[in-house]
Amino acid sequence: MKTCEIKGIDYEVGSGNVYADLELPDAEKLKIKTGLIIEIMNAMERQGLTQHQAAKVMGLTQPKVSEMMHGKLNLFSERKLMECLNRLGYDIEIKVKPAVHSPGQIQLAYA
């Protein structure tokens, strides 16, 4: 991270991936899972679904949806989260392209 200063106050500029900034293993994977869960939460809100209703649509139990909403990322694979989005009416498009600043970066686009 880059350290900057404004009016005598030092601060660090994040990389855009809080998990990488915290030096967590699998930071890119965690960022992707977080993005997918945020989209699931947005879809549930837009469709007015309770956790119980969303669980039925996504083929999960309500407790699993609760764990998802509480950020228990280790319980869900990227594939399972994408399947949940499909069941909520999303199409998933995966783009692979050379990264501007980080080799091997994968970007997901939600249609």
Side-chain angles (χ1 to χ4, degrees):
M1 288 190 295
K2 180 180 171 186
T3 302
C4 298
E5 181 182 332
I6 293 181
K7 297 182 181 181
I9 299 172
D10 290 334
Y11 68 94
E12 292 182 3
V13 177
S15 68
N17 182 341
V18 68
Y19 303 110
D21 295 343
L22 294 171
E23 299 178 359
L24 295 177
D26 295 325
E28 198 61 38
K29 186 179 277 196
L30 293 170
K31 181 181 176 185
I32 289 169
K33 286 182 179 185
T34 300
L36 292 168
I37 289 174
I38 288 169
E39 286 300 323
I40 290 168
M41 292 170 70
N42 290 340
M44 288 172 56
E45 185 177 328
R46 275 193 297 277
Q47 295 175 33
L49 298 175
T50 64
Q51 287 186 9
H52 183 74
Q53 292 167 328
K56 283 186 176 183
V57 172
M58 293 187 289
L60 301 172
T61 64
Q62 182 278 323
K64 278 288 189 195
V65 174
S66 179
E67 290 172 331
M68 183 188 297
M69 300 301 108
H70 286 93
K72 299 204 175 172
L73 303 177
N74 61 318
L75 300 179
F76 302 93
S77 67
E78 295 94 330
R79 182 177 181 174
K80 183 63 178 176
L81 294 170
M82 286 188 270
E83 179 185 313
C84 289
L85 277 170
N86 282 145
R87 290 175 176 227
L88 288 167
Y90 277 63
D91 289 327
I92 306 288
E93 181 181 312
I94 299 175
K95 288 183 177 182
V96 179
K97 65 179 186 174
V100 174
H101 63 285
S102 173
Q105 183 178 8
I106 296 175
Q107 295 184 354
L108 297 176
Y110 310 104

